[in-house]
Amino acid sequence: MTDILTIAGREYHSRLLVGTGKYRDLEETRAAILASGAEIVTVALRRSNIGQRDDEENLLDAVPPSEFTILPNTAGCYTARDAVRVCRLARELLDGHSLVKLEVLGDQTTLYPDIPATLEATAQLVADGFDVMVYTSDDPITARRLEEMGAVAVMPLAAPIGSGLGIQNPYNLITIIENASVPVLVDAGVGTASDAAVAMELGCDGVLMNSAIAGARDPLLMASAMRKGVQAGREAFLAGRMPRRRFASASSPLEGTIA
């Protein structure tokens, strides 16, 4: 079965996107990413060195652009201006790379997105020629607005960043999915493989995570579990679940039964 995820004209076989933070070292980072099967790897530019600091080891030595699509993100930015500046720096460091993940946070307590600032930054980045994947709330109206502005993917949270609480509002996610013509990827809140499977069963095009893998007791084993969870959820979505019924329904035909 051919089932390709297309983002901004690029095709991917994996629907699991992973981050690079919180690992013990770059060796573990690379091993976990390989175990996840991810083809898109997001990098928090304000916290990771991809060439802007000569005195630190370079993350791209562990996850080179020749093997992965590097997705610079603006984690840690609290204003539209800072987020745009970080994306422009990423483009310089990655030789004109245009695919970025926009994240503008509202405060340090909740890490919820600042929606007005997110809209402002999206408008600027689209005007600058970036392909923008946007972290947002699970509000269907905001998701629709971001798509109208030119976002190449919308990335609603399932729960607060790093919480591991799983899918908290499935009906909002379904509404976003039903009205979107760009990929919808859950970003934030996934805690374990069953959460990833649920997101995919709802119809999400993909799932992005970091803490759920890096924070596990065995990150490599969890990366493998997440890979399988995403695959299982996707296959279940494509297969179509049986209707829910209030009462029992016999598994075997009743015709020809012994009286």
Side-chain angles (χ1 to χ4, degrees):
M1 179 182 69
T2 300
D3 182 33
I4 301 296
L5 170 64
T6 302
I7 299 176
R10 304 170 178 86
E11 296 185 343
Y12 303 95
H13 295 278
S14 173
R15 292 175 180 272
L16 175 58
L17 293 68
V18 297
T20 53
K22 299 184 178 178
Y23 289 100
R24 185 176 61 242
D25 51 36
L26 291 185
E27 182 178 355
E28 184 181 72
T29 303
R30 178 174 174 80
I33 292 170
L34 291 176
S36 77
E39 297 168 280
I40 302 176
V41 177
T42 188
V43 176
L45 200 64
R46 301 187 85 186
R47 300 169 182 149
S48 306
N49 180 37
I50 61 170
Q52 67 271 40
R53 297 186 289 273
D54 294 334
D55 57 338
E56 297 180 12
E57 55 185 1
N58 192 324
L59 178 64
L60 298 186
D61 292 335
V63 286
S66 58
E67 295 182 41
F68 305 96
T69 293
I70 304 301
L71 179 64
N73 70 62
T74 62
C77 290
Y78 289 85
T79 67
R81 180 178 179 181
D82 283 351
V84 170
R85 183 171 56 83
V86 167
C87 289
R88 290 172 175 167
L89 174 60
R91 183 158 61 183
E92 290 183 20
L93 292 170
L94 294 171
D95 299 324
H97 181 89
S98 62
L99 186 67
V100 295
K101 180 198 159 194
L102 174 62
E103 181 176 317
V104 186
L105 302 175
D107 62 59
Q108 296 185 6
T109 301
T110 66
L111 297 182
Y112 280 134
D114 181 328
I115 297 302
T118 298
L119 294 169
E120 179 185 347
T122 298
Q124 184 60 63
L125 290 171
V126 170
D128 285 354
F130 284 96
D131 296 318
V132 191
M133 303 172 67
V134 188
Y135 166 68
T136 183
S137 65
D138 61 5
D139 171 26
I141 305 304
T142 299
R144 185 179 66 192
R145 179 67 181 133
L146 290 167
E147 180 179 344
E148 291 171 346
M149 295 175 69
V152 299
V154 292
M155 309 180 74
L157 55 81
I161 291 173
S163 68
L165 291 172
I167 311 298
Q168 295 298 295
N169 198 342
Y171 295 103
N172 271 27
L173 290 179
I174 291 171
T175 302
I176 292 172
I177 293 164
E178 288 177 342
N179 291 286
S181 58
V182 296
V184 177
L185 301 95
V186 155
D187 180 10
V190 168
T192 189
S194 58
D195 297 333
V198 169
M200 298 305 295
E201 288 175 358
L202 291 174
C204 289
D205 296 284
V207 180
L208 188 151
M209 65 184 68
N210 186 172
S211 299
I213 295 176
R217 186 171 58 250
D218 186 335
L220 273 63
L221 189 57
M222 183 59 82
S224 175
M226 290 297 187
R227 177 180 192 164
K228 295 163 187 169
V230 168
Q231 291 173 342
R234 178 63 179 176
E235 291 180 8
F237 170 73
L238 294 174
R241 66 160 296 139
M242 62 167 286
R244 290 183 172 86
R245 298 186 178 93
R246 182 179 177 187
F247 298 109
S249 174
S251 298
S252 301
L254 298 177
E255 294 79 7
T257 54
I258 299 173

